[in-house]
Amino acid sequence: MAVEETSAEFKAKIMLDEANLAFSEITERKDSPGERIVDGSAWDTGKMDGEFDEEDYHKILELQMEQSIVCDEHPELEEKTEELFKKITPENVEEVLKEVLADRNIRELARISVVIFLLRFPTVQSFVNKGHPLVLATDEYMLENADGENWRSYDNIAREMGWL
């Protein structure tokens, strides 16, 4: 089966949305800024049973902690990622994507989120069966591709960026 290329618009929107969501996720952590620990995650493994391989669980927790530290050190990125996401148009998407990739910290937040996504959903089927809990009715671009194509977009981004 041929792998379809992910459009620049989807790349930009996924990366910005995931980077922005990191800020809401840190508010649920058990630790606090300046005192981030691996076990500070708000994840309840019982509720997430079957979403990831146990061997990947510790790696996911480490990545979440790293992401929290970036959020703590760069709180201005929450607003910046939201504004960049809102300004994406078909005409400017390439410029927005360049700006996202040029910002080391936005790129790092996106990288961590994409890698966690792929650790949680290591195959297309795992994603299709479980779905992404962060997909909201307002995330039209996610809902339009709520099937396996959405997973492939994350996989394509990770491969293209060298994050796997």
Side-chain angles (χ1 to χ4, degrees):
M1 178 166 90
V3 176
E4 300 231 359
E5 189 174 315
T6 301
S7 71
E9 180 179 5
F10 271 44
K11 287 177 196 172
K13 286 183 173 183
I14 287 171
M15 292 171 74
L16 285 167
D17 196 38
E18 290 290 355
N20 186 267
L21 286 170
F23 287 93
S24 65
E25 290 174 6
I26 67 166
T27 63
E28 298 176 21
R29 290 184 60 88
K30 299 171 197 164
D31 54 14
S32 55
E35 300 174 358
R36 299 297 184 193
I37 58 173
V38 172
D39 294 331
S41 173
W43 275 24
D44 178 347
T45 56
K47 288 182 182 176
M48 303 176 88
D49 189 37
E51 283 193 17
F52 47 81
D53 293 333
E54 279 304 312
E55 61 199 46
D56 292 330
Y57 184 61
H58 190 74
K59 179 66 176 169
I60 290 169
L61 295 180
E62 288 174 353
L63 288 167
Q64 287 178 332
M65 183 186 72
E66 289 175 32
Q67 193 171 51
S68 297
I69 292 168
V70 173
C71 290
D72 293 343
E73 293 175 352
H74 302 281
E76 74 283 358
L77 294 180
E78 182 174 18
E79 186 175 327
K80 183 177 180 180
T81 55
E82 184 177 345
E83 289 173 6
L84 284 170
F85 185 95
K86 287 179 182 176
K87 84 175 200 178
I88 293 173
T89 66
E91 296 78 29
N92 74 0
V93 69
E94 293 291 341
E95 291 171 27
V96 173
L97 188 55
K98 284 180 186 175
E99 187 173 348
V100 168
L101 296 175
D103 189 309
R104 183 177 61 82
N105 294 306
I106 292 175
R107 194 175 62 244
E108 182 65 359
L109 290 174
R111 178 193 71 82
I112 291 170
S113 291
V114 167
V115 170
I116 289 172
F117 177 92
L118 292 171
L119 288 171
R120 288 178 67 189
F121 306 107
T123 65
V124 174
Q125 199 58 44
S126 64
F127 175 73
V128 172
N129 290 344
K130 188 75 175 181
H132 194 313
L134 298 177
V135 175
L136 305 174
T138 58
D139 291 338
E140 289 181 36
Y141 75 96
M142 293 283 269
L143 288 174
E144 288 171 5
N145 289 312
D147 59 10
E149 187 56 37
N150 193 302
W151 182 90
R152 284 189 258 310
S153 292
Y154 278 77
D155 189 59
N156 288 345
I157 291 168
R159 290 182 188 286
E160 183 179 314
M161 304 304 274
W163 294 342
L164 288 178

